[in-house]
Amino acid sequence: MTLEELAIVLRKIFKFKYLTVRPNFGAEGDDYIGDTVELWDEKPYFENWSGMWVCNDWYIWPKVAFLVDDLQFNVGYDVLHMDLEHMEETQDFSPYADLIEEVEE
C-alpha cells in the first residue's frame, strides 16, 4: 500500500487533511523504534535537522499518531531503504520531507 492509499483508507475513519511520516526515536530520543504516521488538520512543515513535522512552531500537534509497524498491512515508501544511522549522524532527515499526503475533504 502506498502512502496515498493509506491516507484514503484512514480518511474513512479519521477527519484530517494531511498525513505525514517521520522517524520515531522514543520518549528518551535515543533508540529508533520505527516510523510514525501522523494525521494533521493544518499543513505542517518538515525540520531536516530534527526529523519532525511541525505546525506553527510546535504549537499544533498531530491529532492522531501511530507507528507504521502497528498496522496490519505493509505500507511502502522510499525512506524504508535509506540508512537511518547515517541520517542520525549527519542530522539530515531530508528524505522524510517528501512523506506528506494531502487528502480531499
Side-chain angles (χ1 to χ4, degrees):
M1 175 176 287
T2 66
L3 288 180
E4 181 180 9
E5 292 168 333
L6 177 62
I8 292 168
V9 168
L10 292 175
R11 186 67 168 105
K12 294 175 183 176
I13 303 167
F14 299 104
K15 183 178 180 184
F16 67 96
K17 182 82 172 157
Y18 298 94
L19 176 147
T20 60
V21 178
R22 68 170 176 86
N24 188 326
F25 291 95
E28 301 298 319
D30 295 332
D31 298 320
Y32 173 73
I33 60 173
D35 287 345
T36 295
V37 171
E38 299 174 324
L39 308 180
W40 305 80
D41 287 331
E42 294 187 29
K43 187 173 185 177
Y45 64 90
F46 189 76
E47 290 185 336
N48 279 345
W49 65 271
S50 71
M52 300 286 291
W53 288 94
V54 295
C55 260
N56 297 331
D57 298 321
W58 298 85
Y59 292 116
I60 298 175
W61 292 88
K63 62 190 318 179
V64 175
F66 56 87
L67 289 173
V68 172
D69 291 345
D70 288 338
L71 294 171
Q72 293 291 336
F73 46 84
N74 291 327
V75 179
Y77 46 94
D78 291 339
V79 176
L80 289 174
H81 308 293
M82 300 284 187
D83 183 354
L84 191 65
E85 188 174 310
H86 177 72
M87 286 186 226
E88 221 178 338
E89 288 173 5
T90 61
Q91 288 191 329
D92 179 12
F93 295 93
S94 58
Y96 282 89
D98 294 330
L99 300 183
I100 184 169
E101 292 292 332
E102 182 177 2
V103 294
E104 297 295 322
E105 291 198 39

